Amino acid sequence: MDLPCVQWQDHVTQKWAGLDLELKERFTSLQDDLDVLQSVSAGYLVQKDTEQAVKCRERGNSSFKTKDYTAAALHYSQGVCFAPQSSEQLSLCYANRSAALYHLQHYQVRCQKGKEDHNPALKNHKGQEKVKAPSDGPFTFGIGPKAAVGFSPEKGRHLVAAERLAAGEVILNDRPYSCVLIPGMEDLKGKGAELDTERGVFGTEHRRCHRCLAETLHPVPCDGCSYSRYCSTGCQREAWEEHHHWECPLGADLIVLGVMSHLALRVTLKAGLKNIQMARKPISNQHRKSKPGHFNRESSDSSSCQINQSDPSTSYYGDSYSSVFHLLHHLNHHSPGLRFLCAVTIATLYLKLRKIGPPPASWALSRLTGVNSQSTEEEGSWGSELWLLGSAVLRHFLQLRCNAQAILTLQDTGAANSPVQSSREICIATAIFPTLSLLNHSCYPNTSLVFNTGTVTITVRASKNITVGQEIVHCYGPHSSRMASQERQRLLQEQYYFLCQCEACTLAQEEAEGTEGQLQQPVAGDSRHDSGLLCGKCKGSLKVLMHHSHLFRRSLLDLHVIPLLCLPSDKALRLLKRVYSQSGLILAETHPLQGELADAIARAYATRGDWNNAASHLERSVIAIGSQYGEDSIELGQQLFKLAQLHFNGGARGPALSVIPKVRRLLCLHRGPCCHELQELQAMENCLKKITI
């Protein structure tokens, strides 16, 4: 969860601890909070600064001299964002950036009157993303015709299959009501890399558009601050009109207060006073009418669901603001300390908003009522509508703990000219998706999610066949193939306040209790049933808890493998092979650590251009990946894609042609027929078929 920064949390914790029991229910003094916020915010550079622009340009020059044109372009872009309008440094940074982009063959960026005109739809060079994602479904946004919205007291609103869904079929397409870019670099393990732009380490806030999240080396800066940047003047204008006009004066305060409070404010600013007033009213019949391409729960033949017509949280409102407003906030489940943190944070933000000027047009009470109000407050012209805004922001802040969705994307981790793909999944933004929020959690889900930056959309596909009436679920993070059941249960209880009873957790509980559930077939991809550890004498499988096996794997990986990858390739290869051989005495070939070791050895061989040995070891990694995640997993598809590249580079025509169909099936299943990896596969296949034996 993206709570405020540590310094702010410490301040609020001390404030909470110092209150008497009676005063903890009521607090009014926030002047010291404003002072602390100002002092913490001072540590973030978000204003225009000529000196910083000069430093960025000099760092860009250093990268340019070493022919690292990508780093140079990013440094120059930093200079563009720091440089004041109409300054000499702005012109110099633009000119130098154009030179770096020329060497990167980004010719579509045109300079006009000292500012670059961007057309993100033209991006087709390596390392850039196409903004317009191809559609492979029969509908645009919303729930597909084969799914229906249901409600039950136990599960709340949820999605079920109204018709049979085949594996790979699109279930829904959704776009966020709003999203906020996460600064820094954060992988799925929650470890944010320390950023140091002086050394060429750039975070998502430097590389991506702050509105559509598209990756860009040549952003359009905000005219008022050095932080926000966009892929085009169109995104810049839309962001300014929707929210940034009121966010920009807050400067670093929003960074200090955290992504969740920032997103809560952005949702509220976009909604406007009229939509919030409508959402607060009792439910009406118009909300229960079916929309094209949607099914009401009443239209489903499952009689176990009864909708409470008087409770708006039981109905579905499409992708409107009402769907966001009526998401459960779980106020009674939040700890008093967390509620206090949220309240102080939003109350402080409330006071800051009063100082930045009049409210947005969508929040002007006089515009909505037609009344010319003369009773404005001294600081700005916010009136009683500011209280409504503050209460809505606080509501959304509480909701987001359980309903925010991380936007994930693959980031290349190998060298730019590497012949073999190497990537990792990173979290680049936090969003609220009105329709996706209908899906409940399962540690062994039947769906696969794909995010499209640029359009900022999500496509949900069936990852396996789903029968009529079966619930459609996805994973909130804790997955049965990556985490022990006890750890999953703990995380889900702490953040989402429920005890998971999905198939994977139920089987784990029955196994732990020694019931007859042991006779059931294990869930594919769930490694609880086999530790992967071998007896030193008979080589039989050791039955130990997955939790201890996972700790063993991580400790051995951290101690031996990760440091070796930093060594020169020859030395790293020798040491990796030694570790792999020694670990093979106690680890089965299906153990995840053996798979990671084999993958590391394959990368070392590929660095030397030894494609045959690289492919041989990667095949061993494929065995472990298939055992851990399942034969229909996207993880296996990604590993087989690398194997196809190795076979292709090594001229192994037969093995490459035998692997490509398997990769194609898995990529189509999880990412659809239009993903760019399939285009590369097709090019490899066409080339191989032209080769005569």
Side-chain angles (χ1 to χ4, degrees):
M1 176 182 178
D2 300 299
L3 289 171
C5 73
V6 176
Q7 297 98 315
W8 179 258
Q9 291 189 55
D10 290 342
H11 164 71
V12 177
T13 300
Q14 293 175 6
K15 188 181 182 75
W16 171 257
L19 292 178
D20 296 333
L21 291 177
E22 296 180 358
L23 293 177
K24 284 185 178 181
E25 299 180 1
R26 184 177 183 180
F27 53 93
T28 57
S29 176
L30 290 172
Q31 184 56 48
D32 61 325
D33 303 311
L34 289 171
D35 296 338
V36 171
L37 180 61
Q38 183 175 353
S39 65
V40 177
S41 299
Y44 295 85
L45 297 174
V46 297
Q47 304 301 323
K48 299 294 185 181
D49 190 319
T50 301
E51 291 184 4
Q52 289 297 325
V54 171
K55 292 179 181 179
C56 291
R57 186 169 61 83
E58 290 174 348
R59 289 194 286 267
N61 292 342
S62 298
S63 297
F64 193 94
K65 291 176 182 178
T66 61
K67 298 185 178 180
D68 188 351
Y69 300 118
T70 298
L74 288 168
H75 282 303
Y76 293 140
S77 291
Q78 272 291 88
V80 167
C81 293
F82 273 116
Q85 292 297 305
S86 303
S87 66
E88 180 184 13
Q89 285 302 318
L90 181 63
S91 300
L92 291 173
C93 288
Y94 269 126
N96 289 8
R97 185 171 75 175
S98 296
L101 294 174
Y102 174 84
H103 285 280
L104 291 170
Q105 299 181 349
H106 293 195
Y107 303 128
Q108 76 277 14
V109 182
R110 303 182 297 273
C111 290
Q112 293 181 348
K113 296 181 181 179
K115 288 190 177 182
E116 293 169 1
D117 181 35
H118 304 259
N119 186 354
L122 295 176
K123 295 179 184 177
N124 57 7
H125 43 272
K126 185 176 180 180
Q128 299 293 302
E129 303 171 7
K130 292 185 179 181
V131 169
K132 186 175 181 181
S135 174
D136 56 313
F139 55 95
T140 53
F141 291 102
I143 302 171
K146 294 187 178 181
V149 179
F151 174 82
S152 69
E154 298 79 16
K155 297 181 178 180
R157 294 183 298 180
H158 58 279
L159 213 59
V160 295
E163 301 179 27
R164 181 183 180 276
L165 286 160
E169 195 167 354
V170 175
I171 298 173
L172 65 88
N173 289 315
D174 197 14
R175 51 192 164 195
Y177 188 82
S178 192
C179 66
V180 170
L181 195 72
I182 298 175
M185 299 174 65
E186 185 173 351
D187 60 24
L188 291 187
K189 298 173 185 175
K191 298 179 181 178
E194 185 178 349
L195 298 182
D196 187 354
T197 54
E198 293 186 13
R199 297 184 180 180
V201 181
F202 296 92
T204 51
E205 72 271 31
H206 305 116
R207 294 174 175 268
R208 293 184 177 272
C209 174
H210 287 217
R211 176 170 173 79
C212 74
L213 311 181
E215 194 169 9
T216 178
L217 291 175
H218 37 81
V220 177
C222 169
D223 292 338
C225 68
S226 63
Y227 180 72
S228 295
R229 61 203 69 189
Y230 308 94
C231 66
S232 65
T233 53
C235 273
Q236 180 200 42
R237 180 178 60 256
E238 291 171 4
W240 183 260
E241 293 173 353
E242 183 180 284
H243 55 258
H244 193 61
H245 180 68
W246 295 273
E247 292 179 356
C248 190
L250 294 174
D253 295 339
L254 290 175
I255 301 177
V256 171
L257 297 179
V259 172
M260 289 300 183
S261 59
H262 191 173
L263 179 56
L265 174 64
R266 188 168 289 185
V267 168
T268 308
L269 287 172
K270 178 179 178 180
L273 182 61
K274 183 178 180 181
N275 282 327
I276 292 178
Q277 288 176 327
M278 290 179 60
R280 289 164 61 92
K281 293 179 180 179
I283 188 172
S284 60
N285 291 332
Q286 62 178 347
H287 297 309
R288 297 195 297 269
K289 293 180 181 179
S290 178
K291 295 185 178 182
H294 293 70
F295 280 81
N296 275 341
R297 186 56 179 171
E298 291 96 339
S299 66
S300 173
D301 55 7
S302 300
S303 59
S304 61
C305 171
Q306 294 181 354
I307 294 182
N308 181 0
Q309 305 287 3
S310 62
D311 186 355
S313 66
T314 65
S315 298
Y316 174 59
Y317 303 83
D319 60 356
S320 68
Y321 173 72
S322 292
S323 286
V324 176
F325 184 86
H326 291 299
L327 290 171
L328 296 179
H329 48 65
H330 296 286
L331 180 62
N332 294 332
H333 292 97
H334 297 317
S335 67
L338 178 62
R339 284 181 289 186
F340 185 76
L341 172 64
C342 294
V344 172
T345 299
I346 301 306
T348 307
L349 184 60
Y350 173 99
L351 294 180
K352 295 290 291 187
L353 283 169
R354 290 176 55 189
K355 299 176 180 294
I356 65 174
S362 60
W363 277 91
L365 188 62
S366 59
R367 289 189 175 213
L368 297 177
T369 60
V371 177
N372 185 16
S373 176
Q374 300 294 330
S375 58
T376 58
E377 300 188 22
E378 293 182 4
E379 297 183 82
S381 58
W382 285 93
S384 59
E385 62 267 26
L386 181 58
W387 177 90
L388 187 59
L389 179 142
S391 64
V393 175
L394 180 58
R395 178 188 182 93
H396 295 317
F397 195 5
L398 294 168
Q399 287 174 330
L400 288 171
R401 178 171 174 83
C402 298
N403 293 285
Q405 172 67 49
I407 295 181
L408 311 175
T409 188
L410 288 176
Q411 176 176 285
D412 292 337
T413 57
N417 58 350
S418 175
V420 179
Q421 182 191 62
S422 181
S423 61
R424 63 168 177 163
E425 203 168 32
I426 63 168
C427 178
I428 62 171
T430 299
I432 184 72
F433 287 88
T435 304
L436 181 64
S437 297
L438 293 170
L439 271 64
N440 284 328
H441 166 81
S442 171
C443 300
Y444 185 60
N446 54 15
T447 58
S448 182
L449 278 60
V450 176
F451 297 94
N452 300 306
T453 58
T455 55
V456 200
T457 58
I458 185 172
T459 299
V460 179
R461 288 183 174 82
S463 60
K464 60 191 73 173
N465 294 333
I466 303 176
T467 59
V468 176
Q470 184 178 353
E471 185 177 3
I472 299 169
V473 290
H474 85 109
C475 180
Y476 290 0
H479 197 287
S480 61
S481 64
R482 302 180 180 91
M483 196 178 296
S485 59
Q486 291 182 346
E487 183 70 5
R488 299 198 308 267
Q489 293 281 4
R490 182 185 66 82
L491 291 174
L492 291 168
Q493 185 67 45
E494 286 180 357
Q495 181 164 350
Y496 299 101
Y497 310 113
F498 70 85
L499 180 65
C500 185
Q501 297 179 334
C502 69
E503 180 184 2
C505 290
T506 301
L507 287 174
Q509 183 179 2
E510 291 175 347
E511 185 180 63
E513 294 174 353
T515 64
E516 296 179 356
Q518 290 179 336
L519 301 177
Q520 300 183 37
Q521 292 295 322
V523 177
D526 190 346
S527 52
R528 298 184 326 274
H529 300 268
D530 187 358
S531 67
L533 301 179
L534 301 178
C535 173
K537 281 190 174 182
C538 68
K539 299 301 180 182
S541 176
L542 295 178
K543 299 296 183 181
V544 299
L545 292 176
M546 180 186 172
H547 175 67
H548 298 296
S549 176
H550 177 74
L551 292 179
F552 170 79
R553 169 196 171 195
R554 293 314 314 173
S555 61
L556 189 59
L557 185 68
D558 293 341
L559 287 174
H560 295 284
V561 179
I562 294 177
L564 295 183
L565 296 177
C566 301
L567 297 175
S569 59
D570 291 343
K571 187 174 182 179
L573 182 58
R574 288 196 304 271
L575 294 175
L576 282 169
K577 292 174 69 175
R578 183 187 306 171
V579 173
Y580 183 79
S581 176
Q582 293 174 348
S583 63
L585 298 175
I586 58 172
L587 299 180
E589 66 174 357
T590 56
H591 192 279
L593 179 57
Q594 286 295 82
E596 294 187 46
L597 283 168
D599 181 87
I601 294 173
R603 278 184 281 164
Y605 273 119
T607 302
R608 302 172 60 182
D610 190 343
W611 309 114
N612 291 334
N613 273 319
S616 175
H617 281 83
L618 196 65
E619 286 172 347
R620 302 177 192 179
S621 177
V622 165
I623 294 174
I625 293 292
S627 175
Q628 182 183 7
Y629 296 105
E631 296 299 320
D632 290 329
S633 64
I634 184 58
E635 289 83 1
L636 180 61
Q638 292 170 341
Q639 204 72 351
L640 287 173
F641 182 77
K642 291 198 295 185
L643 182 60
Q645 289 179 315
L646 291 176
H647 284 318
F648 178 82
N649 292 333
R653 181 178 183 275
L657 289 176
S658 66
V659 171
I660 287 176
K662 301 175 185 178
V663 183
R664 181 181 288 114
R665 182 184 72 84
L666 292 175
L667 291 180
C668 283
L669 174 64
H670 293 280
R671 294 182 179 168
C674 300
C675 67
H676 66 87
E677 291 93 344
L678 287 176
Q679 300 174 15
E680 184 175 341
L681 273 180
Q682 189 61 53
M684 286 193 290
E685 188 175 45
N686 293 339
C687 182
L688 290 169
K689 287 182 177 179
K690 294 178 182 179
I691 301 175
T692 57
I693 300 177

